[in-house]
Amino acid sequence: NYRKIKEAAGTLAQTTASEHNAFLRHLADANLKDTKKVLAANVLDVQDAIHKKQDESFVARLRIDQDDVTHIVAKLKAVARLKSGLGEVIEKRTLKKGLVLKKIRVPLGVLLVIYEARPEVTIDVAALCVKSGNGAILKGGSDALRTNRALFACIQSALKKAGLPKHTVSFVDSSERSITNDLLSQSRTIDLVIARDLVEHLPDPKLGFQKIHGALRERGFFFLITPNGQLDIWKAHQRWIHKGEAQPLLLNHLNYFL
């Protein structure tokens, strides 16, 4: 499916803002229509979390109710009203020989987003990625798997009604953490990784920064760390462009290792 995901992202990049906004409106409608299914799935996830003796704050983040669905729908409609910025010329200059250079906002490509058991993030990421013309692979926390399945069904319905490719947004329908290693090896498909607690998916988090850096490099990822332990996105972007390193950028809280 990786090939289909990449192709879908390429197709999405050629679509219009009105098509993106149509997806958002259909997604809002689907969430309202399938509210009972989503909430029923969430009840099961919450029950399992309580049975596993997860702490109260974890369960609170996992739980969604009617008010949360209403809020999700409101956010989708708000995003639909925003300008995406795609195609906007953000810098322009003319060289001495008359050559005109323009810096234009374009989609990044395919984003892999790994996040904890917060079901609303599934909708948030799908909405923002499609709005910005990017394909998405969603991997939520396993404790929210049932809820995320129900929400992803809404996403698929909205994609179909908006006439966008089925694989524009993909969902990792599994609780197996080993799948993350396979995803992190797909540097020809995935252009950007946004992850929370990625250290949990790597060999022995106590290895130290240098070995973790090597583990990520072996998977085809490139990133820079500033002296204070934070990722310098701008420098990483500049080096990525200037060196022509066609590898994904990894965004994560890596100060853990320093």
Side-chain angles (χ1 to χ4, degrees):
N1 285 339
Y2 288 121
R3 178 180 58 81
K4 293 181 179 179
I5 290 171
K6 194 67 174 179
E7 290 176 352
T11 300
L12 180 67
Q14 304 301 315
T15 54
T16 65
S18 61
E19 290 173 289
H20 303 165
N21 291 335
F23 163 76
L24 294 171
R25 289 191 294 271
H26 287 308
L27 184 53
D29 292 341
N31 272 271
L32 284 175
K33 178 183 176 182
D34 292 339
T35 296
K36 290 184 178 180
K37 292 180 181 179
V38 172
L39 297 184
N42 186 250
V43 166
L44 296 177
D45 284 336
V46 169
Q47 288 175 347
D48 277 357
I50 293 173
H51 180 71
K52 294 176 183 177
K53 297 183 179 180
Q54 298 282 14
D55 59 53
E56 292 183 7
S57 61
F58 180 93
V59 175
R61 292 192 298 271
L62 174 62
R63 180 182 285 115
I64 58 175
D65 56 24
Q66 181 63 58
D67 288 341
D68 292 319
V69 173
T70 300
H71 183 57
I72 289 172
V73 170
K75 287 193 295 182
L76 288 169
K77 292 180 178 179
V79 172
R81 293 192 294 270
L82 296 174
K83 291 184 178 180
S84 69
L86 290 175
E88 176 185 349
V89 178
I90 56 178
E91 186 178 332
K92 179 180 178 180
R93 58 180 174 143
T94 302
L95 303 183
K96 292 181 178 180
K97 294 185 179 182
L99 179 64
V100 178
L101 297 180
K102 294 181 180 179
K103 184 185 292 185
I104 303 173
R105 296 189 191 279
V106 298
L108 291 168
V110 177
L111 279 62
L112 166 61
V113 185
I114 303 173
Y115 50 98
E116 59 184 0
R118 298 179 70 107
E120 73 277 6
V121 176
T122 298
I123 297 298
D124 292 344
V125 172
L128 293 174
C129 283
V130 173
K131 178 73 176 186
S132 58
N134 292 292
I137 301 175
L138 311 176
K139 189 179 189 307
S142 59
D143 291 282
L145 188 57
R146 295 185 187 89
T147 311
N148 285 335
R149 282 173 181 160
L151 292 171
F152 183 64
C154 295
I155 293 170
Q156 286 290 288
S157 173
L159 287 171
K160 183 176 181 179
K161 290 182 178 179
L164 297 177
K166 176 181 179 180
H167 290 88
T168 296
V169 180
S170 298
F171 169 62
V172 180
D173 191 355
S174 173
S175 59
E176 293 294 327
R177 290 193 173 188
S178 59
I179 293 176
T180 302
N181 288 326
D182 179 62
L183 288 167
L184 292 177
S185 70
Q186 303 302 321
S187 57
R188 292 189 177 183
T189 299
I190 299 168
D191 301 287
L192 174 67
V193 177
I194 303 175
R196 180 179 177 85
D197 297 331
L198 186 60
V199 62
E200 296 180 5
H201 305 286
L202 295 173
D204 192 355
K206 296 180 181 179
L207 284 174
F209 176 72
Q210 292 300 326
K211 291 186 178 180
I212 292 296
H213 179 277
L216 290 169
R217 287 293 297 194
E218 287 176 3
R219 288 166 170 77
F221 292 96
F222 169 75
F223 58 88
L224 293 178
I225 303 297
T226 60
N228 67 357
Q230 299 298 319
L231 177 67
D232 190 327
I233 300 173
W234 173 249
K235 288 183 180 179
H237 175 72
Q238 290 299 300
R239 182 170 175 179
W240 187 43
I241 297 300
H242 293 164
K243 298 294 183 180
E245 299 188 29
Q247 299 171 332
L249 301 180
L250 176 68
L251 309 186
N252 195 25
H253 298 292
L254 289 171
N255 53 316
Y256 172 90
F257 304 113
L258 302 181

